[in-house]
């Protein structure tokens, strides 16, 4: 079987998918939920409820405050008891709507049944409106509002939709489980995305280390093709196990054999990339009129006694999720939201889950210990590993010297912060520690010119 992959750089960390066989479990509701207004890329949402209001699950509680923004819905029924700043996982104070849970009554018109709905609307405007009104955002990490991504600007046309089922980050298995357990809904969601993009062909890319997911998704596509015309343009492709296979630009290279130019967007190469979890959310939004208030996260780690994949609702305190999984392991020195390569360290376990939450990853002190940094030995391993074709050793030196013009000239803004350079450096040079903030500074300079 032909296996696709990208052509520049990449590394092969141990995949450590120790929770891959754990079926999805549904978490109970906590006593209080804390719903962030800043859980999507772009402008935070604006609350439209007041303290004392009664709300139902699925009810709009905040509206978009800009073009790049999204609706936010109540995850449960109850009373709004506060609208105030609350710390997120990094400790930053963000506006949250606090809801005291008093039950699980949903808004009328939301279909919570397990019945598969395969009759896809033909009206693109209706599809995009359903996606927008139900607050769907990208669930592959960036949380970009999906209705915006599925409406390319004038002059741009999607030639291929790539559904990202790579899940290349070590430890994470939530996407694996939904591909196994909810494959048909994902395929219908992919067909809806295709219809929204004028019948654009869809490729579902899954890494080779997920054979059960590949089989389930392939079977779902073959079955649905027989009765759902929009599914005829969908196919499943096997990807090589290589990190960061799930990066947008890497997927485009692997599937379409096209490179996204420096500073350009995927649509400039004729591609729209969506995560498999996003396709599931699209299915629920369009076919079931269900807002994005649930997702699946993995609770895992070598020091975690029992592995879990949980269906959670937005607004659950992470401490509550950890408690349901047996508590934080004594050996856990660091807790990560996301994978070990690109995830973020959790400084505040009382922070609430958001739409894009993907894991509680427990790492031991031994796993988080960095080697002592020595002088660069100019071996070139970081250059060989960089999937964007950059020179991390040079960018590190320029960042250290504050050379903004040279950083821009050497395309620091194209860095995807994957950590490949840092992973393979034999000298232990903290390359990404300086490159990441330097990239942010250069992007701000570029934007200021516009």
């Amino acid at each position: 079987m032909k296996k696709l992959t990208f052509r520049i750089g990449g590394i092969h960390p141990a995949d450590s998918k120790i929770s891959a066989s754990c079926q999805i479990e549904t978490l109970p509701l906590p006593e209080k939920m804390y719903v962030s207004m800043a859980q999507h890329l772009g402008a935070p949402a604006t609350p439209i409820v007041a303290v004392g209001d009664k709300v139902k699950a699925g009810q709009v509680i905040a509206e978009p405050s800009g073009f790049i923004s999204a609706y936010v819905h109540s995850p449960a029924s109850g009373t709004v008891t506060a609208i105030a700043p609350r710390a997120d996982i990094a400790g930053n104070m963000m506006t949250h709507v606090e809801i005291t849970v008093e039950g699980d009554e949903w808004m009328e018109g939301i279909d919570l049944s397990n019945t598969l709905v395969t009759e896809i609307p033909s009206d693109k405007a209706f599809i995009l409106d359903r996606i927008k009104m139900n607050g769907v955002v990208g669930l592959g990490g960036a949380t970009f509002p999906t209705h915006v991504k599925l409406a390319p600007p004038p002059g741009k046309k999607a030639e291929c939709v790539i559904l990202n089922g790579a899940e290349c980050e070590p430890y994470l298995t939530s996407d694996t489980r939904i591909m196994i357990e909810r494959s048909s809904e994902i395929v219908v969601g992919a067909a809806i995305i295709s219809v929204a993009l004028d019948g654009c062909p869809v490729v579902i890319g899954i890494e080779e280390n997920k054979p059960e997911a590949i089989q389930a998704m392939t079977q779902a596509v073959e079955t649905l093709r027989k009765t759902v015309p929009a599914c005829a343009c969908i196919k499943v492709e096997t990807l090589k196990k290589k990190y960061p296979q799930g990066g947008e630009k890497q997927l485009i290279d692997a599937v379409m054999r096209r490179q996204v130019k420096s500073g350009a967007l995927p649509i400039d190469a004729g591609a729209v990339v969506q995560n498999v979890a996003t396709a599931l959310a699209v299915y629920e939004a369009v076919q079931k009129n269900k807002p994005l208030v649930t997702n699946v996260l993995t609770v895992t780690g070598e020091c975690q006694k029992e592995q879990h994949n949980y269906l959670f609702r937005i607004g659950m305190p992470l401490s509550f999720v950890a408690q349901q999984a047996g508590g934080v392991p004594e050996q856990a020195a660091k807790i990560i939201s996301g994978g070990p390569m690109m995830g973020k360290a959790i400084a505040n376990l009382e922070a609430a889950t958001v739409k894009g939450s993907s894991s509680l990853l427990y790492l031991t002190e031994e796993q988080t210990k960095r080697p002592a940094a020595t002088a660069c030995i100019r071996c070139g391993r970081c250059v060989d590993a960089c999937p964007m074709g950059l020179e991390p050793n040079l960018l590190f030196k320029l960042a250290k010297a504050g050379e903004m013009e040279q950083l821009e000239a050497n395309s620091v803004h194209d860095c995807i912060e994957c950590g490949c350079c840092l992973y393979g450096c034999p000298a232990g040079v903290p390359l990404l520690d300086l490159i990441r903030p330097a990239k942010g500074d250069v992007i701000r300079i570029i934007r200021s010119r516009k």
Side-chain angles (χ1 to χ4, degrees):
M1 181 187 293
K2 183 182 177 183
K3 298 169 186 175
L4 307 179
T5 193
F6 55 98
R7 294 169 287 181
I8 300 173
I11 57 175
H12 298 273
D15 55 13
S16 303
K17 304 289 188 179
I18 54 180
S19 56
S21 63
C22 300
Q23 294 186 353
I24 298 170
E25 309 163 67
T26 302
L27 285 170
L29 295 176
E31 293 181 0
K32 285 185 179 291
M33 310 282 268
Y34 304 91
V35 186
S36 174
M37 299 294 100
Q39 53 181 313
H40 48 260
L41 195 68
T46 302
I48 59 169
V49 291
V51 174
D53 285 355
K54 296 286 185 179
V55 294
K56 295 180 180 179
Q59 178 179 331
V60 175
I61 58 173
E63 294 179 337
S65 57
F67 178 65
I68 308 297
S69 191
Y71 282 93
V72 177
H73 302 75
S74 175
S77 56
T79 303
V80 176
T81 45
I83 301 174
R86 183 179 171 84
D88 64 9
I89 61 169
N92 299 316
M93 301 304 288
M94 300 293 178
T95 300
H96 286 66
V97 173
E98 177 185 304
I99 299 170
T100 297
V101 178
E102 296 166 353
D104 197 23
E105 183 182 355
W106 287 73
M107 292 288 288
E108 292 182 7
I110 298 174
D111 183 358
L112 299 175
S113 73
N114 294 324
T115 304
L116 182 67
V117 180
T118 59
E119 188 175 340
I120 297 172
S122 59
D123 187 345
K124 285 170 46 179
F126 174 82
I127 289 173
L128 292 176
D129 186 63
R130 273 283 175 99
I131 291 171
K132 177 181 179 180
M133 295 305 297
N134 282 303
V136 180
V137 299
L139 299 177
T143 60
F144 191 89
T146 303
H147 68 280
V148 178
K149 201 170 190 179
L150 297 184
K156 308 291 184 182
K157 181 175 175 59
E159 299 174 42
C160 181
V161 172
I162 304 174
L163 221 57
N164 177 11
E167 199 167 45
C168 60
E169 274 268 19
Y171 290 100
L172 305 187
T173 60
S174 55
D175 285 351
T176 299
R177 291 314 309 178
I178 64 169
M179 286 190 287
I180 293 170
E181 298 182 41
R182 305 194 65 183
S183 52
S184 294
E185 292 107 311
I186 293 171
V187 171
V188 175
I192 293 169
I193 291 170
S194 172
V195 171
L197 293 168
D198 300 314
C200 187
V202 179
V203 174
I204 304 172
I206 308 172
E207 273 195 336
E208 61 187 318
N209 61 346
K210 304 170 184 64
E212 196 176 351
I214 293 171
Q215 182 181 5
M217 293 298 293
T218 302
Q219 183 60 55
V221 169
E222 291 176 355
T223 300
L224 287 164
R225 273 179 182 165
K226 300 171 185 177
T227 56
V228 184
C231 291
C233 65
I234 303 173
K235 65 177 179 177
V236 176
E237 292 281 8
T238 301
L239 307 172
K240 284 186 179 180
K241 188 178 86 69
K242 187 164 85 167
Y243 177 85
Q245 191 75 260
E248 276 193 328
K249 295 177 181 179
Q250 286 65 46
L251 279 170
I252 293 168
D253 185 22
V255 173
M256 300 177 68
R257 278 297 183 259
R258 295 181 184 179
Q259 295 286 336
V260 180
K261 294 179 181 179
S262 176
L265 297 172
I267 192 64
D268 295 316
V272 171
V273 182
Q274 295 284 8
N275 186 267
V276 288
T278 311
L280 178 58
V282 165
Y283 166 81
E284 292 188 328
V286 177
Q287 306 296 80
K288 302 285 190 173
N289 196 30
K290 181 187 172 189
L292 179 53
V293 294
T294 61
N295 195 5
V296 178
L297 63 72
T298 303
V299 180
T300 186
E302 306 292 345
C303 59
Q304 170 74 8
K305 289 182 180 179
E306 294 184 1
Q307 313 298 311
H308 298 275
N309 290 294
Y310 283 132
L311 180 70
F312 71 91
R313 298 201 196 177
I314 63 170
M316 288 180 168
L318 292 172
S319 58
F320 174 80
V321 178
Q323 182 183 25
Q324 294 297 310
V328 177
E330 290 184 9
Q331 291 177 286
K334 183 175 285 188
I335 309 174
I336 305 291
S337 175
M341 300 299 295
M342 295 184 73
K344 297 180 180 179
I346 298 175
N348 171 34
L349 203 59
E350 293 306 314
T353 55
V354 292
K355 294 177 181 181
S357 295
S358 61
S359 81
L360 281 180
L361 170 59
Y362 300 120
L363 298 179
T364 64
E365 185 175 353
E366 183 179 354
Q367 290 176 305
T368 59
K369 192 178 295 182
R370 286 188 180 183
T374 59
C376 171
I377 60 174
R378 298 178 182 175
C379 63
R381 288 189 189 177
C382 61
V383 178
D384 291 340
C386 180
M388 295 303 297
L390 304 177
E391 296 181 67
N393 54 342
L394 173 61
L395 296 177
F396 178 79
K397 292 175 183 177
L398 294 173
K400 203 170 185 179
E403 296 282 354
M404 293 296 124
E405 288 186 8
Q406 283 301 307
L407 281 164
E408 183 179 350
N410 284 276
S411 303
V412 70
H413 45 280
D414 287 336
C415 171
I416 61 172
E417 304 178 28
C418 62
C420 287
C421 57
L422 185 62
Y423 180 85
C425 179
V429 178
L431 295 158
L432 199 55
D433 290 9
L434 289 191
I435 294 174
R436 181 186 284 117
K439 168 191 169 182
D441 291 340
V442 168
I443 288 175
R444 280 188 285 273
I445 291 171
I446 293 171
R447 286 176 178 169
S448 70
R449 298 186 192 128
K450 298 179 180 179

